[in-house]
């Protein structure tokens, strides 16, 4: 077909179908024989049991050799497992014919390997075998080179075919230029490309000169930038409406117009992900703004906490339980903090009553007050009871109260109690009114107990340091269940600042104080928890201003606990009426409409305005992951040839799916697996997960795993898919390996918006 690099199909269906049916019959024979052999290969483990019996009676000098034999027998049994053979119902999905050194070889690609030289059947694992790369990276008629065990093997691709099965029978054969489809006992040929053409022929191609991340503001956006500098600004809008652009242009405008009031080092831009941080830095650089701090929230609060609380551990657990993050960020934890402060108050009153002989007078005086800060409760005694108490007893009381005031900034003990005391955690569960399950208490308490345990370095501090050194330079506990010991969760930093504020009414210790800023930009604010927003609000100068940007439809953090924009601004301790941006500039209209329907019940009442027309959203259903990999590689190869300067994001649901997709696509072409926001912001193919792409944009977006298994029907998945789709500036392609996700819009749903996507 023109523009695809495929050879036109000219053969009759009969010979190809007959050839594939013969190959399938030989494969079934080979599988039947292999299953019989493996069932007779002592699968019951008699050999291994005999070796174990021999081990029990063997002398010490014979045990090493027996141990080696036991390992070999275990490996043989593993190889002999019947379930490691190809599935007879669909033993492979692709057929590759190559010519190597004048000899023609037929290689089949499947999930499990099978080799039968007698019948000429070779099935290789498509994710591992070097020859499989030829199928994904080469066209028919091309020469290839691959490296196998240090040797370079050259060959020529004769045929490439994709196959599907239904009920164990061959159902379709995709060949160059089309597909052969079985209909009962007959076959017909249907002209069809292997993969859709992603490039929109009506859209101009990218060139190096057209890659520009900066946007000219419209009148509505410019009016927001020019708001009174001290006024807080809440900018809401759909994906691609320019919220981040407005926020960063406001930073530039404040720096330019009021440099003394808004010095660069007293301006802070907070974003949720490293990718958005890097993009924001690029935009500010393009606006000639230097020296403004751009940080992810986690990086910022980590640095602040370690400066203010000098005792905080310098390590975080590599894989903390989600339960801990969910509870520590939940608003219900404020109820546990309230109880903790009440307990601190009673404990101080009991101690002073006992030491100074007040016979409960202090406890009664303190319990009669409801000041939120422990500092103010103690001051009640200082200005009341202490003044009324004269002589030596009065002096002792004043000294005792001063001593307790000096201790208020010591929050380490309260923090340990808050995250480890089951009764306090249970108070949070109760306050959540069913939102948090009761079982989460034990999970968090157990996690905290392990964190408070001594590390191996601490336990063996008496041993010479050289003897404790590891070969890889890591800690002794790294890679063991004990590696959580001596760590702190990233969610604990906000808890520490909240406890400090509730005890002292301030955000400072003897080690340091929370930084203060003249202006703070808070982008994607819907992802932050109330306790985190409170810390940010306290970092704002009393005369400072804030710009908050967000979109409730794009919240994807399951532990963020977003309630409303009114609650966000209340947590920041600022008030502002929201300003709405209603035009989506990033994506063309078909993508905007498609993304709107994805949201389901969470969708706004009105579809965002999209002034730009564009190509329809493409959707492809494949028989499985192997088919999807082949189709992806085919389409991406042609896209790279037709639009070489385009940026392409292959966005999977999570990290595991992204790694699997990258492993598959990289077999056919160069592509990067992006973690921690390390995007190139330039031409090329990058594979990543949804959580990495907030606020970013790419020419083409491909969803490679849009199956019912990976994207079930739930609000969190709908919002995540909405975020992924709305990263596209030109086109979206949805690939569903197996059963499609139920959250994908139906044709009827799209008709309601006046557009049918095919």
């Amino acid at each position: 077909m023109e523009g695809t690099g495929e050879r036109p199909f000219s053969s009759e269906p009969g010979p190809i179908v007959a050839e594939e049916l013969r190959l399938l019959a030989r494969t079934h024979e080979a599988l039947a024989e292999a299953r019989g052999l493996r069932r007779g290969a002592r699968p019951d483990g008699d050999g291994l049991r005999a070796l174990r019996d021999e081990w029990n009676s063997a002398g010490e000098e014979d045990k090493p050799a027996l141990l080696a034999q036991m390992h070999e027998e275990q490996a043989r049994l593993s190889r002999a497992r019947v379930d490691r053979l190809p599935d007879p119902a669909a033993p492979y999905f692709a057929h590759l014919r190559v010519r190597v050194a004048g000899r023609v070889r037929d290689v089949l690609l499947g999930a499990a390997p099978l080799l039968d030289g007698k019948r000429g059947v070779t099935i290789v694992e498509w994710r591992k075998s070097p020859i499989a790369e030829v199928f994904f990276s080469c066209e028919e008629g091309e020469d290839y080179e691959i490296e196998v065990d240090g040797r370079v093997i050259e060959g020529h691709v004769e045929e490439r075919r994709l196959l599907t099965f239904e009920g164990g029978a061959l159902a379709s054969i995709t060949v160059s230029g089309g597909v052969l489809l079985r209909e009962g006992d007959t076959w017909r040929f249907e002209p069809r490309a292997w993969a859709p053409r992603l490039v929109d022929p009506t859209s101009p191609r990218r060139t190096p000169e057209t890659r520009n991340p900066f946007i000219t503001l419209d009148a509505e956006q410019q009016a927001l930038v020019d708001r009174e500098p001290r006024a807080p600004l809440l900018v809401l809008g759909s994906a691609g409406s320019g919220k981040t652009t407005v926020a960063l242009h406001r930073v530039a405008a404040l720096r330019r117009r009021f440099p003394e009031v808004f010095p660069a080092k007293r301006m802070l831009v907070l974003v949720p992900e490293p990718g958005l941080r890097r993009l924001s830095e690029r935009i500010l650089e393009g606006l000639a703004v230097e020296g403004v701090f751009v940080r992810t929230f986690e990086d910022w609060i980590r640095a602040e906490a370690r400066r203010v609380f000098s005792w905080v551990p310098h390590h975080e657990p590599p894989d903390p339980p989600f339960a801990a993050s969910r509870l520590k960020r939940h608003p219900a934890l404020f109820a546990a903090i309230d109880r903790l402060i009440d307990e601190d108050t009673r404990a101080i009153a009991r101690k002073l009553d006992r030491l100074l002989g007040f016979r409960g007078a202090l406890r009664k005086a303190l319990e009669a007050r409801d000041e939120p800060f422990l500092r103010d409760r103690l001051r009640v005694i200082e200005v009341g009871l202490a003044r009324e108490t004269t002589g030596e007893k009065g002096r002792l009381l004043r000294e005792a109260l001063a001593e307790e005031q000096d201790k208020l900034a010591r929050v380490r003990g309260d923090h340990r109690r808050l995250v480890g005391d089951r009764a306090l955690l249970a108070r949070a569960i109760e306050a959540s009114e069913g939102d948090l399950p009761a079982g989460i208490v034990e999970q968090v308490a157990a996690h905290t107990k392990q964190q408070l345990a001594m590390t191996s370095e601490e336990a063996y501090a008496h041993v010479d340091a050289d003897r404790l050194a590891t070969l890889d330079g890591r800690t002794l506990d790294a890679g063991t269940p004990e590696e959580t010991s001596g760590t702190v969760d990233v969610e604990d930093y906000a808890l520490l600042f909240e406890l400090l504020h509730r005890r002292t009414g301030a955000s400072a210790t003897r080690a340091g104080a929370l930084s203060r800023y003249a202006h703070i930009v808070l982008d994607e604010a819907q992802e932050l928890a109330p306790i985190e927003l409170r810390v940010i609000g306290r970092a704002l100068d009393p005369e400072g201003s804030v710009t908050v940007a967000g979109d409730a439809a794009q919240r994807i953090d399951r532990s963020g606990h977003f309630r409303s924009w009114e609650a966000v601004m209340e947590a920041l301790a600022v008030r502002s009426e929201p300003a709405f941006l209603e035009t989506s500039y990033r994506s063309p209209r078909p993508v905007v409409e498609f993304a709107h329907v994805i949201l389901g019940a969470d969708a706004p009442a009105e579809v965002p305005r999209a002034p730009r027309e564009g190509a329809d959203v493409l959707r492809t259903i494949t028989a499985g992951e192997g088919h999807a990999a082949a189709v992806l590689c085919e389409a991406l190869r042609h896209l790279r040839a037709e639009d070489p300067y385009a940026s392409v994001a292959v966005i999977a649901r999570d990290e595991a799916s992204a790694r699997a997709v990258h492993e598959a696509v990289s077999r056919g072409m160069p592509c990067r697996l992006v973690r921690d926001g390390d995007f190139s912001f330039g031409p090329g193919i990058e594979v990543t997960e949804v959580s990495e792409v907030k606020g970013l944009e790419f020419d083409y977006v491909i969803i490679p795993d849009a199956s019912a298994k990976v994207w079930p029907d739930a609000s969190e998945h709908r919002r995540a898919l909405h975020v992924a789709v709305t990263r596209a500036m030109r086109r979206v392609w949805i690939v569903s390996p197996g059963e499609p996700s139920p959250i994908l819009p139906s044709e009827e749903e799209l008709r309601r918006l006046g557009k049918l996507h095919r």
Side-chain angles (χ1 to χ4, degrees), residues 196-436:
R197 184 185 181 192
L198 302 183
V199 171
D200 177 8
T202 65
S203 179
R205 304 292 186 270
R206 285 284 189 191
T207 68
E209 291 73 26
T210 59
R211 300 220 59 86
N212 188 342
F214 315 119
I215 301 173
T216 302
L217 301 179
D218 64 19
E220 183 182 26
Q221 294 168 334
Q222 187 63 55
L224 297 179
V225 170
D226 294 336
R227 281 269 184 103
E228 200 279 318
R230 298 290 191 186
L233 175 61
L234 173 60
V235 186
L236 306 180
S238 61
S241 60
K243 301 180 296 296
T244 301
T245 301
V246 166
L248 296 179
H249 276 71
R250 191 183 191 202
V251 169
L254 293 176
R255 284 286 301 121
R256 184 176 62 254
R257 295 165 55 194
F258 310 100
E260 293 82 12
V261 179
F262 298 100
K265 292 186 177 181
R266 300 197 65 236
M267 303 185 81
L268 174 68
V269 177
L270 290 176
V271 298
E273 299 295 338
L276 186 52
R277 174 186 59 78
R278 295 180 64 238
L279 178 62
S280 298
E281 289 173 337
R282 283 165 52 93
I283 294 175
L284 287 174
E285 181 182 353
L287 294 171
V289 176
E290 298 179 354
V292 170
F293 292 109
V294 183
R295 300 286 187 270
T296 64
F297 172 76
E298 286 190 3
D299 285 346
W300 174 76
I301 199 168
R302 179 186 293 113
E304 292 290 316
R306 290 180 177 172
R307 183 170 48 78
V308 175
F309 307 100
S310 57
W311 52 268
V312 167
H314 283 270
H315 298 287
E316 295 163 8
D319 190 21
F322 175 70
S325 175
R326 183 180 180 190
L327 178 56
K328 291 178 181 181
R329 302 184 76 204
H330 201 285
L333 199 63
F334 290 130
I337 294 175
D338 290 341
R339 177 165 293 180
L340 181 61
I341 297 300
D342 289 342
E343 290 179 0
D344 285 345
T345 302
R346 288 193 294 269
I348 292 173
R350 284 195 302 267
K351 182 176 72 171
L352 297 184
D353 272 333
R354 184 179 67 254
L355 291 176
L356 302 177
F358 275 88
R359 299 181 181 181
L362 289 178
R363 180 179 59 81
K364 290 179 181 178
L366 283 172
E367 288 183 349
R369 311 297 300 191
D370 60 354
E371 282 81 0
F373 306 130
L374 184 53
R375 173 202 65 189
D376 292 343
R377 297 182 185 186
L378 294 180
R379 285 179 179 172
V380 169
I381 305 300
E382 185 178 357
V383 300
L385 192 57
R387 286 183 179 178
E388 298 172 4
T389 306
T390 60
E392 180 66 11
K393 193 171 184 178
R395 184 184 66 81
L396 292 174
L397 177 57
R398 286 189 293 274
E399 289 179 355
L401 289 173
E403 183 179 347
E404 293 299 329
Q405 289 280 5
D406 287 341
K407 295 178 182 178
L408 289 181
R410 302 176 188 176
V411 300
R412 189 173 190 175
D414 271 8
H415 174 251
R416 289 188 173 193
R417 288 166 56 201
L418 179 64
V419 297
D421 187 304
R422 288 172 172 80
L424 287 174
L425 295 175
R427 177 68 188 97
I429 304 304
E430 178 186 351
S432 75
E433 299 181 341
D435 192 36
L436 292 172

Side-chain angles (χ1 to χ4, degrees), residues 398-725:
R398 286 189 293 274
E399 289 179 355
L401 289 173
E403 183 179 347
E404 293 299 329
Q405 289 280 5
D406 287 341
K407 295 178 182 178
L408 289 181
R410 302 176 188 176
V411 300
R412 189 173 190 175
D414 271 8
H415 174 251
R416 289 188 173 193
R417 288 166 56 201
L418 179 64
V419 297
D421 187 304
R422 288 172 172 80
L424 287 174
L425 295 175
R427 177 68 188 97
I429 304 304
E430 178 186 351
S432 75
E433 299 181 341
D435 192 36
L436 292 172
I440 204 172
V441 169
E442 285 302 320
Q443 297 179 57
V444 176
H447 175 62
T448 300
K449 182 179 179 181
Q450 184 60 56
Q451 286 184 302
L452 296 178
M454 280 198 303
T455 65
S456 293
E457 281 77 8
E458 292 170 330
Y460 296 105
H462 60 286
V463 178
D464 184 72
D466 292 340
R467 298 176 61 187
L468 298 178
T470 59
L471 293 176
D472 58 6
R474 302 166 71 194
T475 65
L476 293 174
D477 295 328
T480 73
E482 286 71 36
E483 65 182 337
T484 300
S485 302
T487 63
V488 60
D489 294 336
V490 69
E491 294 83 9
D492 287 318
Y493 302 132
L495 290 182
L496 290 171
F497 278 110
E498 181 67 20
L499 288 171
L500 179 63
H501 191 69
R502 289 296 305 275
R503 287 174 65 88
T504 69
S507 300
T509 66
R510 291 180 179 177
L514 182 68
S515 299
R516 303 296 288 270
Y517 301 92
H519 187 81
I520 297 177
V521 169
L522 191 53
D523 201 4
E524 304 290 352
Q526 72 276 357
E527 302 292 14
L528 289 169
I531 197 167
E532 297 159 348
L533 292 165
R534 289 193 185 192
V535 181
I536 297 170
R538 293 169 195 144
L540 187 65
D541 273 346
E543 299 299 319
S545 59
V546 63
T547 301
V548 180
D551 177 12
Q554 295 189 62
R555 63 191 192 279
I556 61 175
D557 191 326
R558 292 185 297 153
S559 63
H561 307 294
F562 175 87
R563 288 184 298 164
S564 67
W565 288 111
E566 291 80 6
V568 167
M569 303 307 282
E570 181 182 353
L572 291 169
V574 295
R575 300 186 63 175
S576 177
E577 291 298 318
F580 295 94
L581 297 177
E582 298 178 346
T583 302
S584 180
Y585 291 103
R586 177 188 299 138
S587 303
R589 182 179 57 80
V591 173
V592 171
E593 293 178 347
F594 190 89
H596 182 83
V597 177
I598 286 172
L599 286 173
D602 288 339
E606 298 294 329
V607 182
R609 290 197 302 266
R612 185 162 55 90
E613 292 295 330
D616 290 350
V617 173
L618 293 169
R619 288 190 275 185
T620 300
I621 301 173
T622 69
E625 293 181 357
H627 292 84
V631 171
L632 280 168
C633 289
E634 193 82 2
L636 288 171
R637 189 162 54 247
H638 298 316
L639 173 61
R640 194 172 56 170
E642 292 185 77
D643 201 353
Y645 294 104
S647 60
V648 183
V650 184
I651 306 175
R653 178 65 183 96
D654 53 31
E655 181 182 358
S657 185
R659 289 188 181 279
V661 170
H662 174 260
E663 180 186 66
V665 175
S666 62
R667 308 221 75 190
M669 68 190 53
C671 62
R672 297 177 64 239
L673 178 65
V674 175
R675 298 287 301 149
D676 298 324
D678 187 26
F679 293 96
S680 67
F681 300 111
I685 302 166
E686 297 179 312
V687 183
T688 190
E689 59 178 301
V690 176
S691 64
E692 295 277 346
V693 299
K694 294 296 294 291
L696 306 185
E697 55 188 31
F698 308 88
D699 292 318
Y700 298 89
V701 164
I702 299 172
I703 311 301
D705 55 355
S707 65
K709 178 181 178 181
V710 177
W711 296 85
D713 191 353
S715 293
E716 64 184 87
H717 295 293
R718 287 183 175 274
R719 292 193 298 268
L721 187 58
H722 172 82
V723 168
V725 165

